[in-house]
Amino acid sequence: MQSNTDSSGSGTYSQTVGLLYVFNLIVGTGALALPKAFQTAGWLLSITLLTFSAFMSYVAATFVIEALSVANAVISKRRRIEYDDVVVADGPSTFEIAKKVEVSEMASMFLSKVSLVFSYFAIIIYLFGDLAIYSTTVPKSAMNIVCSTINASTVKSTDPCHESWPDIFSRMMVYRIFVIVFVVVVCLPMVIAGITKTRHIQIMTTLSRWAAFILMISLATMQLSSQGAAAHPPAYNFHGFGSLFGCAVYAFMCHHSIPSLITPMRTKENVFGKIAVVYGIVGVFYFTLSLTGAFAFEHVQDIYTLNFLHDDNTSFVYSIIDYFLALFPIITLTSSYPIIALTLINNFKVVKDILCPKTGQENESLLEADNQGEEIDTDDERDTRNARAERNVFDVLVPALVLALPTFLSLLTDDMLLLASVTGSFPGVAVQFAIPCLLVTAARKHARSVLNFPVPRKNNSPFQSPIWIVLISSWAGFSMIMVLLNLVGVKF
């Protein structure tokens, strides 16, 4: 949890490169569910809601950056006290973002224990949803590569994978087999080994992401130009609000990684304005991808890349492109799954330490037991062995839970749009909106009352009025109610 990193070393990069990283982080696989959500909710409602959600997401991102500057001022003050043993007057320079302070550490700095536990649980539930989406998207893509055409709206999960195959091998059965293979055979060994994404894998996934999205936009545009619109979505359909809102939140999620991307920038000059430009470009990118897909295909799949698989064009080049697009989620999500799983395991351990902190005596007993082996058998030693056994059980149960629960959800449903909308609408709202609002409110109060210096103008979010906190909270609350009404089948 303590992960301060100095940005003055060799790990820095230019502001342009940093903004490109922010763009790459936002434009992830969550965008693959947007065309289906656009077609369901209607083009006008989709444009309006995505624009408003993107703006609210940007406001929350500026809150995280402001809280990050206050966290740097806190660290700077602590160091001066530690080394000089005197309190030095604070000034604007102490708010410069030079140290990476993760969102979880900022929560520990500024929030009460209740708010801190809420933040961690929100992140944990969101990460569970993330893993469920991953363990659904990859097997569903693999199943559709193996099985016959899917572009017809009449295809059902109970249909056979191939007409010549036994009836037991339905599309759903093949999908479930791929779920087990993906989690147990592919991902479990990587989680046990603690494999994380290397620089080469990061470059590969970035290039494949850009290539895939550019290809999808180009192919859909070419199809619209040559064949006209295959579908005519309505202007609005409020029954699709829930899935659209959840996907919009999920598609703009970047807030938990902002400190890792902003801190290494060599200059933070006008960073708020330039991130606004990034959000604008991402919005145009999403609109182009979603609108071309919603009109080009009569039945948009919940994983958009699948619309290009097994199509009518059978030329060799098109076949290569189609299979690349179908493999794109498999390549990118397989490399990300163990990272998310390990992050989730670590968050569980932190919450356990917050709720059940070890006393100094317990830690000392554990250390002595490690040094003395089994030479003593006092009551304290038995308590120490019990504590160690509980720790070992925890270390086994948590990874098992982390892998088992998302896998169970994936075995129940292959509806990626449903998983993305629920993940984005509930825990996603907490991570993207609630936590940044809590952080910036507490950080501003800390700056005034503890640091005795207001946040400098250059580090201030452009949205200083408390009305913005109220507006984001109201928007999140209204949207969650709409999603709940949609999920229970209320018609508008």
Side-chain angles (χ1 to χ4, degrees):
M1 192 166 158
Q2 300 292 332
S3 55
N4 295 342
T5 302
D6 198 326
S7 71
S8 60
S10 58
T12 61
Y13 41 70
S14 68
Q15 190 178 61
T16 302
V17 171
L19 294 172
L20 182 61
Y21 285 161
V22 174
F23 179 90
N24 287 337
L25 177 68
I26 297 175
V27 182
T29 50
L32 298 180
L34 280 176
K36 173 70 172 178
F38 263 58
Q39 193 177 67
T40 303
W43 61 270
L44 181 59
L45 176 61
S46 298
I47 292 174
T48 304
L49 191 147
L50 193 66
T51 301
F52 199 69
S53 185
F55 176 71
M56 290 299 179
S57 177
Y58 167 68
V59 173
T62 66
F63 288 168
V64 174
I65 297 174
E66 181 177 343
L68 178 60
S69 71
V70 178
N72 271 259
V74 171
I75 292 173
S76 177
K77 182 171 184 176
R78 287 176 182 173
R79 288 185 173 179
R80 290 198 307 275
I81 293 174
E82 179 181 351
Y83 290 110
D84 299 334
D85 200 30
V86 294
V87 178
V88 182
D90 296 296
S93 62
T94 63
F95 289 84
E96 293 295 329
I97 300 174
K99 302 289 180 183
K100 182 179 72 175
V101 188
E102 299 291 1
V103 169
S104 57
E105 190 176 352
M106 286 191 276
S108 299
M109 281 184 180
F110 302 129
L111 301 184
S112 65
K113 186 174 181 178
V114 173
S115 298
L116 179 61
V117 172
F118 163 78
S119 300
Y120 269 104
F121 270 111
I123 293 172
I124 284 171
I125 297 171
Y126 174 78
L127 293 177
F128 265 123
D130 231 6
L131 289 181
I133 291 170
Y134 286 18
S135 58
T136 299
T137 304
V138 171
K140 189 169 184 177
S141 298
M143 178 270 289
N144 282 293
I145 291 174
V146 171
C147 295
S148 56
T149 180
I150 63 164
N151 279 344
S153 58
T154 56
V155 173
K156 301 176 183 177
S157 60
T158 55
D159 290 345
C161 183
H162 285 282
E163 292 296 336
S164 59
W165 287 21
D167 291 342
I168 189 175
F169 290 107
S170 65
R171 298 176 70 87
M172 179 58 77
M173 176 59 70
V174 174
Y175 160 75
R176 286 171 174 162
I177 292 172
F178 275 119
V179 170
I180 299 299
V181 171
F182 172 68
V183 175
V184 177
V185 178
V186 178
C187 294
L188 179 59
M190 291 194 291
V191 173
I192 293 174
I195 293 176
T196 58
K197 189 181 291 186
T198 65
R199 182 173 179 268
H200 298 294
I201 295 177
Q202 196 170 30
I203 293 173
M204 181 190 71
T205 54
T206 299
L207 292 176
S208 64
R209 180 187 296 119
W210 277 85
F213 281 109
I214 290 172
L215 282 171
M216 286 186 287
I217 291 173
S218 301
L219 292 174
T221 302
M222 290 168 58
Q223 184 167 319
L224 281 171
S225 300
S226 61
Q227 302 176 18
H232 297 84
Y236 57 89
N237 174 16
F238 285 101
H239 190 58
F241 183 97
S243 59
L244 178 61
F245 172 73
C247 290
V249 171
Y250 192 69
F252 281 103
M253 184 66 70
C254 66
H255 303 68
H256 52 297
S257 298
I258 283 178
S260 299
L261 300 180
I262 298 298
T263 304
M265 291 182 185
R266 284 191 285 271
T267 174
K268 283 83 175 177
E269 192 70 28
N270 196 25
V271 68
F272 295 114
K274 291 177 180 177
I275 287 183
V277 173
V278 171
Y279 264 85
I281 295 173
V282 170
V284 172
F285 195 74
Y286 282 169
F287 288 144
T288 308
L289 177 76
S290 303
L291 289 172
T292 54
F295 283 90
F297 297 98
E298 182 180 359
H299 179 71
V300 179
Q301 302 293 322
D302 54 356
I303 304 172
Y304 183 47
T305 51
L306 299 178
N307 277 93
F308 301 91
L309 188 63
H310 305 311
D311 60 15
D312 295 333
N313 201 320
T314 56
S315 71
F316 177 75
V317 174
Y318 272 96
S319 296
I320 294 296
I321 292 174
D322 292 349
Y323 278 100
F324 165 73
L325 291 175
L327 289 168
F328 161 65
I330 299 176
I331 296 170
T332 56
L333 298 186
T334 300
S335 63
S336 299
Y337 188 99
I339 301 172
I340 302 297
L342 291 169
T343 302
L344 184 51
I345 291 169
N346 291 334
N347 274 276
F348 263 113
K349 292 178 179 178
V350 172
V351 170
K352 176 179 176 290
D353 291 339
I354 293 173
L355 297 177
C356 306
K358 291 186 180 71
T359 64
Q361 183 177 359
E362 287 175 343
N363 288 328
E364 186 178 347
S365 298
L366 285 171
L367 181 60
E368 289 176 355
D370 288 336
N371 293 333
Q372 296 176 11
E374 302 296 330
E375 294 178 2
I376 57 175
D377 194 23
T378 63
D379 290 340
D380 288 341
E381 175 62 17
R382 282 192 294 272
D383 290 342
T384 299
R385 286 202 301 271
N386 290 337
R388 182 185 294 161
E390 291 176 3
R391 182 182 60 186
N392 291 337
V393 169
F394 181 86
D395 290 341
V396 172
L397 287 180
V398 167
L401 178 65
V402 163
L403 294 179
L405 184 55
T407 304
F408 177 71
L409 293 174
S410 296
L411 291 172
L412 286 179
T413 180
D414 65 346
D415 191 342
M416 198 275 272
L417 182 63
L418 173 64
L419 292 173
S421 61
V422 172
T423 300
S425 300
F426 299 106
V429 163
V431 174
Q432 187 168 129
F433 298 136
I435 293 176
C437 288
L438 289 172
L439 283 177
V440 78
T441 301
R444 288 170 180 171
K445 182 178 179 181
H446 189 93
R448 292 190 300 268
S449 61
V450 179
L451 300 179
N452 298 316
F453 201 91
V455 182
R457 184 179 180 84
K458 64 176 293 187
N459 302 109
N460 261 339
S461 163
F463 309 97
Q464 286 296 300
S465 172
I467 193 65
W468 290 106
I469 306 289
V470 176
L471 185 60
I472 289 181
S473 302
S474 302
W475 165 246
F478 165 75
S479 300
M480 289 173 68
I481 292 171
M482 289 288 290
V483 172
L484 276 173
L485 293 176
N486 283 170
L487 288 175
V488 299
V490 176
K491 301 290 184 181
F492 298 99

